[in-house]
Amino acid sequence: MIALLFSILSSTMIFVVFKLFSRFKINTFQALTFNYVTACICGIILQENSIKFSEVPQFEWFPFALGLGGLFILVFNLMAITTQRSGLSVVSVATKMSVVIPILFGLLYYKESLGFFKIIGIILALIAVYLASIKTKDGIKIKLSNFIFPVLVFLGSGTIDTTIKYLEGEFIAKNDIPIFSATIYAMAGLIGFAILIFQLVKGSFKFEFKNLIGGIALGVPNYFSVYFLVEALRSNILESSGVFTVNNVAIVMTSTMLGILLFKEKLLRKNWIGIALAVLSILFIALEKW
């Protein structure tokens, strides 16, 4: 339960930092690249047993970690394109609704239970995510020509969570979670720096110190969001389908409430209904376990 709680809090902190990016006019891509470096350093520092860097490529999970690092930065860029073309609500819904993919994976691959309470809880969670994420009275409107981008965000985000679950269950030793996470972020950071160098050559790169500070502020909760998610998946508190559902819906609920308290955001009636359904969904999934 503690690991799941810290995963939710870490992911919520990411939301807070992102909100501050716009307030302080921080270059998001530069900050994101520095964030990956920060998260990588966190993993190296917290690795308990001594590992030589030359030994890391020998781990079975290494090629998967490299792929995840590339996917991290690819999905971020797809999120940026989707935001520009269809709005922030579309990105929020696509990202959070992607929880369907790891849920189905847990149910089909690991043969997890699917009782009445869990079914109701998952359905309520998906409705809650949608209602809590829509910040306009007219709902979501997407041009047909732009529809591919939220679909790719949906698939990419779901694939990341599913792959983490698969690797956690099949390849990663308990003491190797930090170095596994560090490898993912190292790959994402290398790709980010390659893009920044390309921008520098083109003459479109302009560094500001605040972008580095923003990256560090984002990197710490970003690292722990993955670290504690893996720990939560390894606990016996819930099956993976329950962990992913509770994790995502609680992040949406907590982020929405913090938006009100810290940033004076105004919520529509549908947002409040979404928060109420989020609480109910967590209760139903908890009832399935106990």
Side-chain angles (χ1 to χ4, degrees):
M1 179 62 79
I2 293 176
L4 182 56
L5 177 62
F6 278 126
S7 176
I8 293 165
L9 292 176
S10 298
S11 297
T12 304
M13 282 303 300
I14 293 174
F15 157 80
V16 173
V17 175
F18 267 126
K19 291 288 287 186
L20 292 174
F21 277 9
S22 58
R23 176 171 294 185
F24 292 101
K25 295 180 172 57
I26 289 174
N27 182 295
T28 305
F29 189 81
Q30 286 186 30
L32 194 77
T33 302
F34 295 131
N35 132 82
Y36 289 136
V37 175
T38 303
C40 176
I41 293 171
C42 286
I44 294 171
I45 292 173
L46 293 172
Q47 178 68 24
E48 294 181 4
N49 53 318
S50 178
I51 293 178
K52 295 179 181 179
F53 289 114
S54 59
E55 297 175 351
V56 175
Q58 299 175 19
F59 286 102
E60 289 183 287
W61 48 255
F62 180 73
F64 294 99
L66 295 184
L68 278 173
L71 194 56
F72 267 41
I73 205 158
L74 174 61
V75 169
F76 169 77
N77 281 288
L78 288 170
M79 289 170 65
I81 294 171
T82 306
T83 302
Q84 292 165 5
R85 298 193 177 201
S86 304
L88 191 59
S89 292
V90 176
V91 171
S92 181
V93 171
T95 304
K96 297 307 177 187
M97 294 290 274
S98 69
V99 72
V100 169
I101 297 175
I103 287 174
L104 289 176
F105 179 77
L107 294 173
L108 297 174
Y109 186 82
Y110 290 107
K111 310 298 183 185
E112 294 180 356
S113 62
L114 188 62
F116 173 77
F117 288 120
K118 182 181 283 187
I119 293 173
I120 297 299
I122 291 172
I123 292 173
L124 287 177
L126 295 176
I127 297 172
V129 166
Y130 178 82
L131 291 177
S133 300
I134 304 301
K135 304 301 186 201
T136 59
K137 292 182 179 180
D138 298 330
I140 286 180
K141 293 182 179 179
I142 309 173
K143 291 183 180 179
L144 189 60
S145 59
N146 295 329
F147 189 72
I148 185 63
F149 296 108
V151 170
L152 290 174
V153 169
F154 171 85
L155 293 174
S157 299
T159 300
I160 288 172
D161 285 343
T162 303
T163 306
I164 289 174
K165 167 56 190 171
Y166 174 73
L167 295 177
E168 173 273 323
E170 304 293 335
F171 296 115
I172 306 171
K174 181 174 178 58
N175 293 333
D176 292 339
I177 296 175
I179 197 65
F180 165 72
S181 303
T183 305
I184 295 174
Y185 290 123
M187 183 60 183
L190 286 173
I191 296 173
F193 272 112
I195 295 172
L196 291 179
I197 291 171
F198 179 73
Q199 293 176 352
L200 181 63
V201 172
K202 284 180 59 181
S204 58
F205 176 81
K206 181 183 178 182
F207 174 75
E208 291 183 282
F209 187 70
K210 64 182 180 181
N211 300 332
L212 173 61
I213 299 301
I216 294 172
L218 179 63
V220 175
N222 197 5
Y223 169 79
F224 283 108
S225 67
V226 173
Y227 176 85
F228 284 118
L229 176 60
V230 174
E231 289 286 358
L233 288 169
R234 293 198 158 173
S235 69
N236 293 319
I237 186 69
L238 293 168
E239 293 177 319
S240 70
S241 54
V243 169
F244 280 115
T245 304
V246 172
N247 188 63
N248 272 37
V249 77
I251 291 167
V252 171
M253 181 176 67
T254 310
S255 299
T256 302
M257 297 307 295
L258 278 180
I260 300 171
L261 296 173
L262 299 180
F263 303 105
K264 309 302 181 184
E265 291 184 354
K266 302 293 184 181
L267 296 190
L268 303 172
R269 181 181 298 176
K270 66 180 73 175
N271 301 142
W272 287 111
I273 295 174
I275 292 172
L277 291 179
V279 175
L280 283 176
S281 71
I282 293 173
L283 291 175
F284 272 107
I285 290 172
L287 284 173
E288 179 76 16
K289 176 68 176 179
W290 291 290

